[in-house]
Structure formats: C-alpha cells, structure tokens
Amino acid sequence: MARSCSARLHGDAAAFSAALRSLLNNPQFSDVTFVVGRERREVFAHRCVLACRCQAFRGMLSPAGGPAPRAPLVLGNVQPDVFLAVIEFLYTNCVTLDSRIALEVLTSSVEYGLQELCKLCVEFIKETLSVEQVCEALQAAVTYGQGDLQQHCLAFIEGCTAAVVRTRGFQELSDAVLARVLRSDRLAVDELELVQAVREWAHVSSAVLERPVPEVAALPVRELRLPLLAPSELATLESHNQRDLLIPVSSIAAAWRCHALRRGSGVPARLCRPRRGTRPREHHRHLDPHGK
C-alpha cells in the first residue's frame, strides 16, 4: 500500500509546496526532459526547481558551469517510479512510497545527497518491514550507514529468525552482514537449522560469485556455534562437510574437543553460549562456565 510521507512544513512553505505539486511531471513550462529506465519513460521537470533543491542536479543540469544541455538527459539505471518519487520530494518536500520502491528511493536519496528524503525512507521502511524484505533492508542499512535502521532490522530478524532464513533476501546477504546477524545471542532458531541455512547461503553465493564454497563462507562460518550440537548431530555435520568443505576441519575438531573434555575449551566463549532459540541438549550444562 502506498503512503505519502512528508517533512515538516510551516505556513507559506506548505502553500508553496502545494502550488508546485501541479507542476510535477507536467510538460507545460518544463525546460528539461529525462528519459528514465529501460522503459525510456519521459519525465518533465523545471531546471530552477531541481537546481535550487539538489546540488547533484545542479551539476547535472549545468556541467562545469557550461551551458545547460538541451537534449533529453538519459537515466537508464533507475526505475521511473523511483525517479518520480525523488522529483516529487524535490517539488513538494513530500514523497509517496510503497514497499516496492522504498529501498530504491533510499538508494537514490543517498546518491543525490537528500538527507531529509533519506529520513522519510528509513521511517517508512521501519514501519512496513516484513519477513520477505527485512534482509534486503538490513543490507541497505549497512551499505548506506543507517545505524538506526540496521538495529531495527536486526531486532526484527531476531524475532522471527526461522522464517527469515528461508527467504530469498537471506540468500543474498553479503558475507559480512550475514556474520553480523550470526553474532546475535537472540536469534530465534536452533543452531542446527542455522548451520543448514548458512550451507544453503554458501552454495548460492558460490554459484553467483564463482568462488569456492569455503572461500565465500569463511567469515560467517566463524560465527556458527558448533559446540552446541549433540555428538550425533556433529557426526552427521562432519559427514556432510566432506562434500563441500564448508566448515574448517579445525572448527569441527574444536567442537569434538568440547565434548571430550566436557567443557568449553579452546573456542571463544560466545560459541558455547546458547541462543534464544537453541534447543536444550544434555551436554550444554558442561559448557556453562558457571555450571557445576
């Protein structure tokens, strides 16, 4: 569902914004045309509005202080609806967003240096976050340095981890962002399911990046808490690991050592700490440094 978001306007500014809305994508009086997206959709605008509202457009419309280009400006790498949302904001200080375009409008707001538009996008994304989109939103939050959105996405993932790891967005996370997710103690899923999710992610990433599974998975695999697995589960994991070498042999050996010594030994303490969704196993009491 689309919804209009607006920055705070007062008095004459609000009236002026309303007057400008009638000029949105209106060929009358326009003096610049953009050809946008693969659809080559024409978008009409007014140089004075774009130039005074956005430094990036000022440079685009008058490169190096030279004469303004008269031919249509081609923007082939942006969706028309996304570009129109940016133009709407520049004219009215408001933007109409829906879940289909919100993340791409956020991207454009960063590229064009529009901080107020960026804030509106972040608030909209936080309020409309879904299982299907949360990983994509988290990736964008990390990429564009939106710390508040990043924390919001992580909390959302922690609340419904089992559903999130089955989404396409999870498969498309970068290795660094996936590792950040796996560091959480509050993931609502058992470790065995996380191992399987990381294995599936690694095979997808390996195919996309054309790099070996152990190489693409090196960073997130360090966050898997193998000592939490029961001996039978660890044995099965070791057998599966012979096929793709997802997990370093040293990590599996360290997990076996924890079982043999009946305590967390030789591994970081966080790897012996059950998560919120970890199913209890009998040996977990031996991993607790405060247990008896």
Side-chain angles (χ1 to χ4, degrees):
M1 179 181 296
R3 192 177 69 201
S4 178
C5 304
S6 62
R8 186 172 297 173
L9 296 172
H10 298 283
D12 292 341
F16 184 63
S17 175
L20 283 175
R21 181 172 289 277
S22 65
L23 298 177
L24 275 174
N25 198 21
N26 187 340
Q28 186 178 24
F29 308 125
S30 70
D31 55 3
V32 61
T33 303
F34 296 91
V35 178
V36 184
R38 286 179 291 182
E39 305 93 327
R40 298 187 61 81
R41 181 172 172 183
E42 286 189 331
V43 175
F44 304 98
H46 305 79
R47 297 175 190 275
C48 60
V49 175
L50 302 188
C52 73
R53 287 281 283 158
C54 177
Q55 182 66 40
F57 276 108
R58 186 179 307 169
M60 186 187 307
L61 296 172
S62 183
R70 296 192 174 277
L73 297 174
V74 179
L75 300 175
N77 295 324
V78 61
Q79 288 187 45
D81 288 349
V82 172
F83 186 70
L84 283 168
V86 173
I87 296 297
E88 178 190 6
F89 175 78
L90 293 177
Y91 275 69
T92 69
N93 226 36
C94 303
V95 62
T96 303
L97 296 172
D98 60 40
S99 297
R100 179 179 54 87
I101 66 169
L103 285 170
E104 293 192 54
V105 177
L106 173 62
T107 298
S108 292
S109 73
V110 174
E111 291 176 349
Y112 290 126
L114 300 171
Q115 295 184 1
E116 286 299 320
L117 177 57
C118 181
K119 292 177 183 177
L120 295 177
C121 290
V122 166
E123 288 305 310
F124 177 87
I125 293 166
K126 286 167 59 178
E127 292 174 10
T128 60
L129 209 55
S130 68
V131 167
E132 291 73 22
Q133 290 189 316
V134 65
C135 289
E136 188 179 358
L138 174 60
Q139 188 70 57
V142 173
T143 300
Y144 301 124
Q146 299 297 316
D148 184 46
L149 179 58
Q150 180 178 340
Q151 293 304 316
H152 190 83
C153 290
L154 286 170
F156 188 100
I157 291 171
E158 289 169 344
C160 50
T161 317
V164 170
V165 299
R166 293 192 290 269
T167 64
R168 178 177 177 178
F170 182 85
Q171 302 293 343
E172 295 175 349
L173 287 174
S174 70
D175 59 344
V177 175
L178 177 56
R180 172 67 183 86
V181 171
L182 294 174
R183 291 188 194 111
S184 173
D185 291 341
R186 299 187 56 78
L187 297 180
V189 67
D190 185 65
E191 202 67 26
L192 196 59
E193 295 175 59
L194 274 182
V195 172
Q196 181 58 31
V198 170
R199 171 165 274 117
E200 293 172 2
W201 169 90
H203 281 270
V204 171
S205 296
S206 174
V208 171
L209 300 175
E210 298 182 340
R211 291 163 50 196
V213 166
E215 184 179 323
V216 300
L219 191 60
V221 158
R222 296 174 192 169
E223 304 302 328
L224 292 175
R225 303 182 181 186
L226 303 184
L228 298 179
L229 301 180
S232 60
E233 295 167 331
L234 195 55
T236 300
L237 172 65
E238 191 170 22
S239 175
H240 291 167
N241 201 60
Q242 294 174 3
R243 305 172 192 169
D244 57 16
L245 303 178
L246 171 73
I247 301 170
V249 173
S250 59
S251 296
I252 297 176
W256 278 120
R257 187 163 56 250
C258 289
H259 282 287
L261 299 177
R262 299 176 69 81
R263 61 186 174 87
S265 177
V267 297
R270 72 180 189 282
L271 300 185
C272 295
R273 190 164 56 239
R275 306 180 196 268
R276 185 161 64 93
T278 301
R279 293 194 300 270
R281 282 123 168 127
E282 191 278 335
H283 75 284
H284 285 177
R285 60 192 176 93
H286 300 302
L287 300 178
D288 184 355
H290 304 293
K292 296 181 179 180

